Amino acid sequence: MKKILTLSVVLVLIIAGGLFYYQYQKNNPVSSQDKTLDQLANQTIQTKQISTNLNSENLIQVQFSIEMDSKKTLKQSEKIKPIIESDIIKILSKSNKDDFKDIAAFEGKIKDKLNERFSDGKIMNVYTTELLIQ
């Protein structure tokens, strides 16, 4: 009798866990890693091509795509796009040619600086779409 009771309790717990998992997946179908290309495109802004002098004797031409965490943050970023581009120019003008050897670290630096501009949302990723250093 004890075995049947124990088996029943285990079975009920497994069923309850399965139902909980089903409800959770039903309410949260898309995780941040499962974004579709359309969602990604709808939450990304493109900067203009930026040309400026580096802190060395080099000239840089660069363009970025900036992924936001939501459409609300995207709308906010579109309003301050000139300020975002200005912040990028300031970062570039303090950089030298060697800072671009690790482009992922440089993109992270830009992301961290630009995230200071947003109180509600945040920047998820910065992608370098064009880079020319002379």
Side-chain angles (χ1 to χ4, degrees), residues 18-30:
L19 288 173
F20 175 79
Y21 179 76
Y22 173 76
Q23 288 295 327
Y24 178 78
Q25 288 298 322
K26 184 178 169 185
N27 292 334
N28 301 315
V30 178

Side-chain angles (χ1 to χ4, degrees), residues 3-134:
K3 286 184 180 183
I4 293 174
L5 183 60
T6 304
L7 184 61
S8 297
V9 169
V10 170
L11 191 58
V12 168
L13 289 174
I14 290 172
I15 291 171
L19 288 173
F20 175 79
Y21 179 76
Y22 173 76
Q23 288 295 327
Y24 178 78
Q25 288 298 322
K26 184 178 169 185
N27 292 334
N28 301 315
V30 178
S31 71
S32 62
Q33 295 177 344
D34 296 333
K35 289 183 180 177
T36 65
L37 292 176
D38 289 336
Q39 288 172 320
L40 185 63
N42 290 334
Q43 292 178 196
T44 304
I45 64 165
Q46 185 86 16
T47 66
K48 296 177 186 173
Q49 184 183 55
I50 299 170
S51 299
T52 190
N53 291 320
L54 296 175
N55 196 16
S56 54
E57 293 184 13
N58 300 99
L59 176 70
I60 188 168
Q61 288 183 337
V62 66
Q63 190 169 12
F64 297 99
S65 289
I66 304 170
E67 177 191 354
M68 308 299 170
D69 66 341
S70 67
K71 287 183 181 181
K72 181 180 175 185
T73 309
L74 179 73
K75 288 179 184 178
Q76 196 179 23
S77 69
E78 287 171 345
K79 292 177 183 176
I80 62 167
K81 191 173 178 181
I83 296 169
I84 289 172
E85 290 173 347
S86 175
D87 286 346
I88 292 172
I89 290 171
K90 289 173 187 171
I91 294 168
L92 290 169
S93 66
K94 294 177 183 176
S95 303
N96 61 49
K97 187 177 180 178
D98 292 334
D99 293 333
F100 295 91
K101 288 183 179 177
D102 184 1
I103 196 69
F106 190 78
E107 290 169 342
K109 183 178 180 180
I110 290 174
K111 176 183 150 187
D112 293 342
K113 178 65 177 169
L114 294 181
N115 268 327
E116 295 173 8
R117 293 273 178 204
F118 297 95
S119 55
D120 294 335
K122 68 178 185 173
I123 293 173
M124 300 300 291
N125 290 300
V126 174
Y127 304 102
T128 304
T129 56
E130 185 179 323
L131 177 65
L132 174 66
I133 300 174
Q134 295 180 339

